[in-house]
């Protein structure tokens, strides 16, 4: 059993499927039990029932899956995750799986490139392919019988991986210090190499090798012309088509609108304001003033200018 790397006193799990010949499975288990010694150190589980097993986390040193001659076991993501769960930190998993040479031929089967990726995604490390070989006629027939695959592009891949030397979900506090050590003067010490990197000395400025730009060459004749004062004046609100002055108007539109408001005569809502108080509304701005001719300009006091 040296091919599986199993030694004495290790706990081993053998995973089989319905295609595994019973006699071959029994022969493998007997050899493993003889090798690891007494004490119920070898467990046998069906690949389809593995997730329902009662094994605790980190129970086995070695897990062998699909290694029974004639096995066509396919390892789903759930199966590989469960294998990683019950494997001890630093433990090994060795499995064999039938793959196809090209993807898309059978959705149930992986390619030779997808198999190591699946082991890595399950949490295993140091994943490596040990052997890849064509199927014998008997093995190919077993794949047709149990997986229903009729193609001839089949390979048997033997691959192994290890569980990291820590439990899934374990944590460890990192001791990090970002404080700079003070120098003799009490200030943070500066790395001399870093200081030299950012220091520019007079020796670094060789005039013969420095290509300096003349600032006058950056200006053309158009830049030197005196601008027209009118072009520097910002357009007024009125020129921009605004009917209202800005909040902080400086173009004079606010004063112009204010003057127009003072000079404007309120328009009569009823048309009877000129007849006198007997014909005026209760809110008429002309209340208390004598009658006047229609169209005659009447100047009102500031306190009389309110909405009618």
């Amino acid at each position: 059993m040296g091919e599986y790397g199993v030694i004495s006193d290790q706990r081993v799990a053998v995973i089989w499927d319905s295609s595994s010949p019973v006699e071959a499975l029994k022969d493998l288990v007997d050899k493993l039990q003889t090798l690891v010694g007494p004490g119920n150190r070898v467990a046998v589980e069906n690949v389809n029932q593995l997730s329902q097993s009662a094994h605790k986390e980190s129970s086995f040193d070695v897990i062998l899956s699909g290694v029974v001659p004639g096995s066509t076991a396919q390892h789903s993501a759930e199966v590989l995750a469960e294998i990683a769960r019950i494997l001890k930190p630093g433990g090994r998993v060795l499995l064999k799986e039938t793959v196809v040479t090209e993807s898309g031929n059978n959705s149930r089967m992986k390619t030779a490139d997808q198999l190591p990726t699946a082991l890595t995604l399950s949490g295993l490390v140091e994943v490596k392919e040990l052997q890849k070989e064509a199927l014998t006629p008997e093995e190919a027939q077993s794949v047709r019988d149990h997986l229903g695959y009729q193609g001839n592009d089949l390979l048997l891949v033997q691959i192994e991986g290890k569980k990291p030397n820590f439990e899934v979900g374990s944590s460890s506090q990192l001791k990090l210090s970002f404080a700079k050590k003070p120098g003799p003067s009490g200030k943070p010490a500066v790395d001399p190499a870093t200081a030299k990197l950012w220091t520019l000395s007079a020796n670094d400025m060789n005039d013969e090798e420095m290509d300096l730009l003349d600032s006058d060459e950056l200006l053309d004749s158009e830049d030197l012309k005196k601008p027209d004062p009118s072009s520097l004046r910002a357009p007024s609100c009125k020129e921009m088509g605004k009917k209202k002055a800005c909040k902080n108007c400086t173009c004079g539109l606010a004063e112009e609108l204010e003057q127009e408001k003072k000079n404007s005569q309120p328009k009569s809502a009823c048309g009877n304001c000129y007849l006198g108080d007997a014909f005026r509304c209760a809110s008429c701005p002309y209340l208390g003033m004598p009658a006047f001719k229609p169209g005659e300009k009447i100047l009102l006091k500031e306190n009389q200018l309110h909405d009618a």
Side-chain angles (χ1 to χ4, degrees):
M1 302 302 294
E3 58 180 313
Y4 299 138
V6 178
I7 60 177
S8 178
D9 295 331
Q10 285 186 327
R11 291 207 65 202
V12 183
V14 179
I15 301 175
W16 61 281
D17 68 315
S18 58
S19 65
S20 303
V22 177
E23 290 299 324
L25 175 61
K26 185 177 181 302
D27 182 61
L28 175 62
V29 173
D30 291 341
K31 291 180 180 180
L32 290 172
Q33 287 178 338
T34 302
L35 184 61
V36 299
N40 194 22
R41 296 180 178 275
V42 179
V44 181
E45 294 289 346
N46 184 279
V47 66
N48 298 320
Q49 304 296 325
L50 182 62
S51 60
Q52 302 176 14
S53 65
H55 297 298
K56 297 180 180 180
E57 293 182 358
S58 305
S59 297
F60 300 98
D61 299 286
V62 179
I63 296 179
L64 307 177
S65 181
V67 299
V68 180
S71 173
T72 60
Q74 296 291 301
H75 302 85
S76 64
E78 292 77 11
V79 170
L80 292 175
E82 182 64 14
I83 289 176
R85 186 187 72 85
I86 63 177
L87 193 63
K88 291 182 179 181
R92 294 174 52 256
V93 57
L94 179 69
L95 62 84
K96 288 185 178 181
E97 183 171 328
T98 303
V99 300
V100 293
T101 57
E102 296 181 3
S103 60
N105 295 332
N106 190 317
S107 59
R108 293 181 56 190
M109 303 177 68
K110 308 178 189 68
T111 64
D113 293 333
Q114 292 172 341
L115 183 57
T117 302
L119 268 71
T120 302
L121 293 177
S122 69
L124 300 177
V125 296
E126 299 183 29
V127 177
K128 57 183 178 181
E129 182 181 292
L130 301 179
Q131 189 176 3
K132 185 193 310 182
E133 58 186 3
L135 272 66
T136 64
E138 293 78 10
E139 291 172 336
Q141 185 60 45
S142 180
V143 171
R144 298 188 188 97
D145 295 340
H146 293 89
L147 301 181
Y149 184 72
Q150 302 301 320
N152 296 319
D153 55 335
L154 298 173
L155 294 172
L156 183 61
V157 176
Q158 181 174 323
I159 193 169
E160 76 167 356
K162 292 183 179 181
K163 185 173 181 177
N165 290 320
F166 54 84
E167 285 291 356
V168 176
S170 60
S171 62
S172 177
Q173 185 175 2
L174 298 178
K175 297 181 180 180
L176 301 177
S177 176
F178 296 98
K180 295 183 178 179
K181 297 181 179 179
S185 62
K187 297 181 179 180
V190 179
D191 184 9
T194 304
K196 184 178 179 180
L197 180 65
W198 293 100
T199 301
L200 185 65
S201 66
N203 296 330
D204 297 325
M205 298 293 291
N206 190 339
D207 293 342
E208 296 180 357
E209 297 179 359
M210 298 295 294
D211 187 12
L212 301 179
L213 293 177
D214 185 355
S215 58
D216 293 336
E217 294 181 355
L218 301 178
L219 301 175
D220 54 24
S221 58
E222 292 295 328
D223 297 323
L224 300 176
K225 289 183 178 179
K226 186 177 181 179
D228 184 1
S230 61
S231 65
L232 303 178
R233 183 178 61 85
S236 66
C237 301
K238 202 168 187 179
E239 291 174 344
M240 296 179 66
K242 292 184 178 181
K243 296 182 179 180
K244 293 185 179 180
C246 301
K247 183 178 180 181
N248 300 318
C249 180
T250 58
C251 66
L253 180 60
E255 291 81 357
E256 183 179 344
L257 294 177
E258 184 67 23
Q259 188 63 34
E260 290 178 358
K261 182 178 179 181
K262 291 182 179 180
N263 297 335
S264 63
Q265 183 175 355
K267 185 178 181 181
S268 174
C270 59
N272 299 326
C273 299
Y274 71 96
L275 296 176
D277 285 350
F279 300 92
R280 293 169 180 162
C281 305
S283 59
C284 182
Y286 297 103
L287 282 175
M289 299 183 65
F292 54 87
K293 295 179 181 181
E296 183 180 356
K297 186 175 182 179
I298 306 298
L299 296 178
L300 300 177
K301 295 182 180 180
E302 185 68 25
N303 59 2
Q304 290 178 298
L305 293 175
H306 56 82
D307 294 336

